[in-house]
Amino acid sequence: MAIRNILIQDDPALYKKCRPVTVFDQRLKQLVDDMTETLLQSGGAGLAAPQVGVLRRVVVVLDVNKDPEEVIVLINPELLEVRGSERMPEGCLSFPNVWGYVTRPSWAKVRAQDVNGNWFEKEGEGVVAQCFSHEHDHLEGHVFTEKIEEFIDPEDIQKA
Ligand code: ZN
């Protein structure tokens, strides 16, 4: 496993729609392993492949509702169903020092493939639903700053 370099705000890779994964090979497993390690080391809650410069539909999300926390790997994820809405403080590993309030679903169900290509469904609530939505946006070439309703001073976050 290796830590990958996370691309920062103006990088063109963050603004491109990602292609589906069609080959479930060792290279994909390596990408997923590296993304998992990079996420865990970063202290973030989710990471999408375009953030490490790979324009494929792969995301990893930290399931903070589990104890111990688990990494959810989603390949070719689709948002099947969303419910509710919650306005929460949000950040992104590609935008260090940018924080803002974004309204996201409070519950979401996704359908995705695992590293072997098997389809499964996964439900998430709270921060996990927020992450499913945030990471799915990355795959469409969208970033959270487009959705910020109110910016938060980073100093206020550090105090919280
Ligand atoms: Zn992000």
Side-chain angles (χ1 to χ4, degrees):
M1 296 211 281
I3 304 285
R4 302 232 182 168
N5 185 35
I6 297 176
L7 303 178
I8 301 299
Q9 56 199 54
D10 293 328
D11 196 290
L14 296 174
Y15 303 92
K16 289 185 178 137
K17 193 176 156 95
C18 297
R19 295 183 303 274
V21 170
T22 53
V23 182
F24 294 81
D25 59 1
Q26 198 51 44
R27 197 153 161 250
L28 175 68
K29 291 188 174 77
Q30 185 67 57
L31 172 67
V32 166
D33 283 352
D34 289 355
M35 284 176 62
T36 300
E37 194 179 2
T38 305
L39 175 66
L40 292 174
Q41 191 254 4
S42 70
L47 182 69
Q51 292 180 277
V52 294
V54 177
L55 295 177
R56 292 284 178 177
R57 303 183 80 83
V58 178
V59 310
V60 290
V61 170
L62 194 60
D63 189 344
V64 296
N65 297 331
K66 282 265 173 66
D67 186 20
E69 293 175 344
E70 274 173 21
V71 174
I72 305 169
V73 175
L74 304 172
I75 305 197
N76 299 325
E78 301 160 13
L79 284 168
L80 282 186
E81 196 183 340
V82 294
R83 284 186 211 149
S85 69
E86 217 168 317
R87 189 173 181 265
M88 290 190 279
E90 197 167 303
C92 176
L93 293 171
S94 293
F95 294 81
N97 302 318
V98 179
W99 291 86
Y101 285 100
V102 178
T103 299
R104 299 281 184 188
S106 49
W107 180 92
K109 186 201 268 186
V110 294
R111 178 178 182 261
Q113 284 167 285
D114 64 18
V115 284
N116 298 310
N118 301 310
W119 287 97
F120 64 97
E121 290 181 6
K122 186 92 187 166
E123 294 169 20
E125 57 186 350
V127 174
V128 175
Q130 179 185 27
C131 281
F132 285 166
S133 173
H134 177 117
E135 303 312 326
H136 190 265
D137 284 350
H138 273 302
L139 303 182
E140 296 297 315
H142 291 292
V143 293
F144 87 121
T145 50
E146 299 165 29
K147 292 189 170 174
I148 289 180
E149 294 154 15
E150 188 189 336
F151 284 87
I152 304 168
D153 187 330
E155 283 182 22
D156 292 337
I157 289 278
Q158 279 156 18
K159 275 181 235 147

